[in-house]
Amino acid sequence: AVDELLAEAGAPLELREGGVGAVTVTVPWAALGTEPVRLRLSHLRLVLRPRQPGSPGPGSPPPGGSQQGRDPPPEPPPLEGLEALALTIDAVLRRLQVLLEDAELRVELPPQ
Protein backbone atom coordinates (compact mmCIF):
# COMPACT_ATOMS: atom_id res chain seq x y z
CA ALA A 1 0.00 0.00 0.00
CA VAL A 2 2.86 2.40 0.80
CA ASP A 3 4.48 1.65 -2.54
CA GLU A 4 1.16 2.29 -4.33
CA LEU A 5 0.75 5.65 -2.56
CA LEU A 6 4.29 6.64 -3.54
CA ALA A 7 3.67 5.71 -7.18
CA GLU A 8 0.31 7.50 -7.31
CA ALA A 9 1.96 10.63 -5.88
CA GLY A 10 4.58 10.46 -8.63
CA ALA A 11 7.42 9.85 -6.16
CA PRO A 12 10.56 8.47 -7.79
CA LEU A 13 10.97 6.08 -4.83
CA GLU A 14 9.69 2.59 -4.04
CA LEU A 15 9.47 0.78 -0.72
CA ARG A 16 12.21 -1.82 -0.29
CA GLU A 17 11.37 -2.95 3.24
CA GLY A 18 9.71 -1.71 6.36
CA GLY A 19 8.32 -2.62 9.73
CA VAL A 20 6.41 -1.37 12.73
CA GLY A 21 7.27 -2.35 16.30
CA ALA A 22 3.86 -1.57 17.82
CA VAL A 23 0.50 -0.10 16.86
CA THR A 24 -1.80 1.44 19.45
CA VAL A 25 -5.28 2.68 18.58
CA THR A 26 -7.32 4.85 20.96
CA VAL A 27 -11.00 5.00 20.03
CA PRO A 28 -13.30 7.51 21.79
CA TRP A 29 -16.37 5.27 21.61
CA ALA A 30 -18.67 7.73 23.38
CA ALA A 31 -17.80 10.54 20.94
CA LEU A 32 -16.78 8.59 17.83
CA GLY A 33 -18.27 11.10 15.40
CA THR A 34 -16.76 14.19 17.00
CA GLU A 35 -13.47 13.19 18.67
CA PRO A 36 -10.46 11.92 16.73
CA VAL A 37 -9.32 8.32 16.71
CA ARG A 38 -5.62 8.28 17.61
CA LEU A 39 -3.21 5.89 15.93
CA ARG A 40 0.29 5.56 17.44
CA LEU A 41 3.02 3.79 15.46
CA SER A 42 6.15 2.99 17.46
CA HIS A 43 9.52 1.94 16.04
CA LEU A 44 8.56 2.60 12.41
CA ARG A 45 11.30 1.70 9.94
CA LEU A 46 11.05 2.35 6.17
CA VAL A 47 13.76 1.70 3.60
CA LEU A 48 13.19 3.32 0.21
CA ARG A 49 15.15 3.21 -3.03
CA PRO A 50 14.84 4.91 -6.41
CA ARG A 51 12.07 3.35 -8.49
CA GLN A 52 13.55 0.83 -10.91
CA PRO A 53 12.94 1.37 -14.64
CA GLY A 54 10.11 -0.89 -15.76
CA SER A 55 8.74 -1.47 -12.28
CA PRO A 56 4.95 -1.40 -12.18
CA GLY A 57 3.33 1.89 -11.38
CA PRO A 58 -0.20 2.70 -10.34
CA GLY A 59 -2.84 1.18 -12.56
CA SER A 60 -0.44 -1.33 -14.10
CA PRO A 61 -1.98 -4.69 -14.89
CA PRO A 62 -1.10 -7.38 -12.37
CA PRO A 63 1.54 -9.88 -13.51
CA GLY A 64 0.35 -13.21 -14.82
CA GLY A 65 -1.99 -12.43 -17.68
CA SER A 66 -4.30 -9.89 -19.14
CA GLN A 67 -8.02 -9.39 -18.82
CA GLN A 68 -8.27 -8.02 -22.36
CA GLY A 69 -11.59 -8.77 -24.03
CA ARG A 70 -13.34 -9.80 -20.83
CA ASP A 71 -16.21 -7.93 -19.26
CA PRO A 72 -15.81 -7.17 -15.57
CA PRO A 73 -18.24 -9.07 -13.34
CA PRO A 74 -21.41 -7.10 -12.57
CA GLU A 75 -21.38 -5.30 -9.24
CA PRO A 76 -24.20 -6.03 -6.84
CA PRO A 77 -26.45 -3.08 -5.97
CA PRO A 78 -25.24 -1.17 -2.90
CA LEU A 79 -26.99 -1.86 0.36
CA GLU A 80 -28.33 1.05 2.38
CA GLY A 81 -26.80 -0.25 5.62
CA LEU A 82 -23.40 -0.55 4.00
CA GLU A 83 -23.64 3.00 2.68
CA ALA A 84 -24.34 4.29 6.19
CA LEU A 85 -21.41 2.28 7.53
CA ALA A 86 -19.15 3.65 4.78
CA LEU A 87 -20.15 7.24 5.64
CA THR A 88 -19.44 6.60 9.32
CA ILE A 89 -16.02 5.12 8.55
CA ASP A 90 -15.26 8.08 6.28
CA ALA A 91 -16.16 10.55 9.07
CA VAL A 92 -13.93 8.69 11.53
CA LEU A 93 -10.99 8.56 9.11
CA ARG A 94 -11.24 12.29 8.38
CA ARG A 95 -10.52 12.93 12.08
CA LEU A 96 -7.78 10.32 12.39
CA GLN A 97 -4.65 11.52 14.19
CA VAL A 98 -1.40 9.62 13.62
CA LEU A 99 1.58 9.83 15.99
CA LEU A 100 4.94 8.41 14.95
CA GLU A 101 7.38 7.50 17.73
CA ASP A 102 10.96 6.52 16.98
CA ALA A 103 10.55 6.63 13.20
CA GLU A 104 13.45 5.95 10.83
CA LEU A 105 13.29 6.67 7.11
CA ARG A 106 16.27 5.55 5.02
CA VAL A 107 16.82 6.04 1.30
CA GLU A 108 19.30 3.65 -0.31
CA LEU A 109 20.93 5.01 -3.44
CA PRO A 110 22.52 2.68 -6.01
CA PRO A 111 26.33 2.62 -6.06
CA GLN A 112 27.81 4.98 -8.59
Side-chain angles (χ1 to χ4, degrees):
V2 171
D3 208 24
E4 238 178 68
L5 289 171
L6 289 170
E8 287 174 3
L13 301 171
E14 63 185 5
L15 181 66
R16 182 165 177 254
E17 63 183 76
V20 177
V23 177
T24 306
V25 180
T26 305
V27 180
W29 293 110
L32 191 56
T34 58
E35 293 293 319
V37 171
R38 290 179 176 83
L39 177 67
R40 175 177 288 169
L41 303 173
S42 301
H43 309 292
L44 175 67
R45 304 280 182 265
L46 297 177
V47 179
L48 304 170
R49 67 178 175 200
R51 189 166 297 284
Q52 302 297 314
S55 65
S60 297
S66 92
Q67 294 289 328
Q68 192 172 20
R70 295 186 186 173
D71 291 333
E75 292 187 25
L79 303 174
E80 289 182 22
L82 289 179
E83 289 178 21
L85 178 60
L87 290 173
T88 302
I89 292 171
D90 185 57
V92 169
L93 291 177
R94 288 179 190 266
R95 290 183 182 84
L96 180 69
Q97 291 182 350
V98 179
L99 173 66
L100 302 177
E101 290 182 341
D102 187 27
E104 177 185 329
L105 175 63
R106 187 172 69 213
V107 177
E108 294 183 345
L109 299 175
Q112 295 196 8

